[in-house]
Amino acid sequence: MSLRHALLGLLSERPASGYDLLKLFETSLATAWPATQSQIYTELTKLAGTGLINVAAEGPRGRKEYALTDEGLAELRHWLTETKPQRNTRSDILLRVFFLGVLTAEQARGYLTELIELSDQGYQGLRRLEESVDWDDDSLSVYGRIALEYGLRFNAMRREWAEWAAGQIT
Amino acid sequence: MSLRHALLGLLSERPASGYDLLKLFETSLATAWPATQSQIYTELTKLAGTGLINVAAEGPRGRKEYALTDEGLAELRHWLTETKPQRNTRSDILLRVFFLGVLTAEQARGYLTELIELSDQGYQGLRRLEESVDWDDDSLSVYGRIALEYGLRFNAMRREWAEWAAGQIT
DNA sequence: GAACACATGTAACCTGTTACATGATTTG
DNA sequence: CAAATCATGTAACAGGTTACATGTGTTC
């Protein structure tokens, strides 16, 4: 149940509304853990029900600003230190590779060429993000940059692999 | 709906029972697309219902051997060539990185050290798999090796990144 | 005052996980 | 004959996606 912890994590930085959190997901967490609007609002209601967060303020247009409670912070720390990260990663990009044999060599190379482009776009998108964000000294900035570096390295690795793979197809 | 296509892909190589497919998932597709026994049997029944596969033979112990139909092969090719791979990858490993700021520097480095070990184990597991499989000339072997190379490079990349990241924490 | 951004909530559906339930054949 | 392996099926639940539904405040 990582969505729950993603929300607690974002709220550990500062209070925010469901709408704020939706925007934060789109900009910062999108590559690690995408979430939809409907999911976020539903989960916030549940989290408030169990006391891990509470409604700290209400604003115009029905805005509810949620804040992390002590219990919520404890739960976040527990998740980070006591539970093993091991969720199976699913990649339909990689899955397709196994079955490229049902296509012609040309089509298979075409798929890998697409992956090269995809990786380039991913890389460049992250570079643009890096430039557009004003990185201050809060911990989300520090660790956000580390996560971004992961994305850059990942896309570079995938590009090189896809180039190598295209060369393997005779 | 990638599970459906994973099954079609495996059956494109040769007919197989649900049990066979379960084993194939465990050995070859596990890193790209894990699937449970219950999921596989349910999906096979659905696929047979829509005519993408059929029961080609029945064996002892209620064994049903499924084979890909022409329609199934067409659907597999369609998936590979006409649909964009873009499923959001979720990584709770990366998600946690964003929130390491709520821990002490020591705890955060501890997490990254775990990731180094995890990556090493992943790398070594794939090396062992590479040695244990007898790679013949069928297309699953050719593309299976390419997918395996991806896993090796991925784990190497992640290890190097985690080492770099641990050094970033002051 | 029209368009856009802010703001929330819910219902239906699909996918995936865990657990239960059962039985047949082979191997030591 | 006991244990391991082969073999299938289903039910309950959790998590995620898409679509619908509604309304307020700001900006041009």
Side-chain angles (χ1 to χ4, degrees):
Chain A
M1 226 182 320
S2 290
L3 173 67
R4 161 180 257 104
H5 296 104
L7 291 168
L8 295 176
L10 290 174
L11 289 173
S12 76
E13 200 71 13
R14 68 184 65 84
S17 68
Y19 192 82
D20 294 340
L21 291 164
L22 177 61
K23 298 296 159 188
L24 285 168
F25 265 87
E26 282 167 6
T27 54
S28 61
L29 301 188
T31 51
W33 205 271
T36 60
Q37 175 263 339
S38 115
Q39 233 184 325
I40 291 171
Y41 282 101
T42 307
E43 191 63 39
L44 284 171
T45 307
K46 281 190 208 161
L47 283 169
T50 57
L52 297 181
I53 63 176
N54 59 31
V55 179
E58 302 200 26
R61 288 175 282 203
R63 177 188 171 92
K64 291 188 211 166
E65 203 163 70
Y66 292 98
L68 197 64
T69 62
D70 291 344
E71 280 177 30
L73 182 57
E75 171 56 31
L76 178 62
R77 289 212 174 100
H78 175 261
W79 175 66
L80 285 167
T81 55
E82 307 299 327
T83 66
K84 290 281 161 202
Q86 55 185 10
R87 182 173 256 280
N88 312 313
T89 63
R90 287 193 158 79
S91 166
D92 77 335
I93 287 180
L94 184 56
L95 179 62
R96 284 161 204 248
V97 172
F98 283 92
F99 309 129
L100 292 179
V102 303
L103 304 180
T104 65
E106 197 186 351
Q107 284 176 313
R109 269 193 300 271
Y111 178 72
L112 292 167
T113 305
E114 269 182 62
L115 290 190
I116 292 171
E117 283 161 24
L118 196 76
S119 304
D120 275 352
Q121 283 161 24
Y123 187 91
Q124 284 158 28
L126 289 173
R127 279 281 180 229
R128 277 193 298 274
L129 182 65
E130 192 176 26
E131 283 161 27
S132 71
V133 172
D134 45 325
W135 302 97
D136 44 38
D137 287 343
D138 62 20
S139 64
L140 247 181
S141 280
V142 173
Y143 288 101
R145 285 197 83 153
I146 290 176
L148 191 141
E149 174 70 19
Y150 176 91
L152 290 170
R153 290 180 186 223
F154 173 78
N155 279 289
M157 179 280 294
R158 194 169 58 184
R159 193 212 145 102
E160 282 169 40
W161 165 81
E163 282 172 346
W164 167 85
Q168 293 296 110
I169 300 172
T170 47
Chain B
M1 226 182 320
S2 291
L3 173 66
R4 160 180 258 104
H5 297 105
L7 290 168
L8 296 176
L10 290 175
L11 289 173
S12 76
E13 200 70 15
R14 67 185 65 84
S17 67
Y19 192 83
D20 295 340
L21 291 164
L22 177 61
K23 298 297 159 187
L24 285 169
F25 265 87
E26 282 167 7
T27 54
S28 61
L29 301 189
T31 51
W33 206 271
T36 61
Q37 175 264 338
S38 114
Q39 233 184 324
I40 291 171
Y41 282 102
T42 307
E43 192 62 38
L44 284 171
T45 307
K46 281 189 208 162
L47 283 169
T50 57
L52 298 180
I53 63 175
N54 59 30
V55 179
E58 301 200 27
R61 287 174 284 203
R63 176 187 173 92
K64 290 187 212 165
E65 203 163 71
Y66 292 98
L68 197 64
T69 63
D70 291 344
E71 281 178 30
L73 181 58
E75 171 56 31
L76 178 61
R77 288 213 174 99
H78 176 261
W79 175 67
L80 284 167
T81 56
E82 307 299 327
T83 66
K84 289 281 160 202
Q86 56 185 8
R87 182 171 256 281
N88 312 313
T89 61
R90 287 193 158 78
S91 167
D92 77 334
I93 287 179
L94 184 56
L95 179 61
R96 284 161 205 247
V97 172
F98 284 91
F99 309 129
L100 291 178
V102 304
L103 303 179
T104 64
E106 197 185 351
Q107 285 177 313
R109 269 193 300 271
Y111 178 72
L112 293 166
T113 305
E114 269 182 64
L115 290 191
I116 292 171
E117 284 163 23
L118 196 75
S119 305
D120 276 351
Q121 284 161 23
Y123 187 92
Q124 285 157 27
L126 289 173
R127 279 282 181 228
R128 276 194 298 274
L129 182 66
E130 191 175 27
E131 283 161 27
S132 71
V133 173
D134 45 325
W135 301 97
D136 44 39
D137 288 342
D138 63 19
S139 65
L140 247 181
S141 279
V142 173
Y143 289 101
R145 286 197 84 152
I146 290 176
L148 192 140
E149 175 70 18
Y150 175 91
L152 290 170
R153 290 180 186 222
F154 173 77
N155 279 288
M157 179 280 293
R158 193 169 60 183
R159 192 212 146 102
E160 281 169 39
W161 165 80
E163 281 171 346
W164 167 84
Q168 293 295 110
I169 301 171
T170 48

